[in-house]
Amino acid sequence: MEHMFDEEAVIRVWVPPGWPAVVRPPGSQGWVRSATAFLLDCCPPDYRGYPVLLRHPVVLARFAREFASSQLVATQSNLAGARPDLSGWVETSTVDAAVAVLQAEEARMVRQVRAVSLVEQSLRDVRFTPKL
């Protein structure tokens, strides 16, 4: 029996937990473009004006990883000092609300650092496989 190849068959690529929803799977049409857009969104706006970052997504990914990691460290530092620094200056409920904001930001930044790292690995040709 002859096997038929369906040229329109969908090729499924497994992406690990934490892969950003706005980035297409590696190897799919437009994936590098979507990865570049995501990485630019993770960087300071001025990074969009540097042609080398637009032409070389691996360079952009490294810059984005360093920037996101530094934001996480800054958020953690801010969180560590918020209560002692703000106590006596604003009401306790305000301090609690400020700490809650920083905790939410810390969680968001942890997810962002992971997402950027996964995209960077993929741009460097790391292939992800599910673990059983």
Side-chain angles (χ1 to χ4, degrees):
M1 177 176 210
E2 185 176 323
H3 294 284
M4 301 288 287
F5 177 73
D6 182 1
E7 291 183 30
E8 303 213 5
V10 175
I11 298 173
R12 300 205 184 270
V13 175
W14 184 82
V15 292
W19 184 264
V22 297
V23 178
R24 298 180 54 81
S28 65
Q29 185 176 5
W31 104 264
V32 173
R33 193 174 329 112
S34 68
T36 299
F38 165 74
L39 294 168
L40 285 168
D41 287 345
C42 295
C43 291
D46 291 347
Y47 280 28
R48 293 174 187 276
Y50 295 104
V52 68
L53 300 180
L54 303 176
R55 283 192 312 268
H56 301 282
V58 171
V59 175
L60 175 61
R62 186 201 178 278
F63 281 28
R65 178 179 38 86
E66 288 298 317
F67 184 74
S69 295
S70 68
Q71 283 186 305
L72 175 58
V73 169
T75 300
Q76 291 168 331
S77 176
N78 197 0
L79 182 57
R83 280 194 192 282
D85 191 48
L86 295 174
S87 293
W89 291 100
V90 294
E91 294 179 15
T92 302
S93 62
T94 302
V95 174
D96 292 343
V99 166
V101 167
L102 289 170
Q103 289 170 331
E105 265 307 286
E106 179 184 33
R108 185 185 71 78
M109 289 308 307
V110 166
R111 291 189 304 273
Q112 185 161 315
V113 167
R114 174 161 172 73
V116 169
S117 294
L118 291 171
V119 170
E120 180 183 23
Q121 289 175 55
S122 195
L123 286 167
R124 292 176 184 255
D125 291 329
V126 170
R127 300 290 175 236
F128 304 109
T129 55
K131 297 197 180 3
L132 299 175

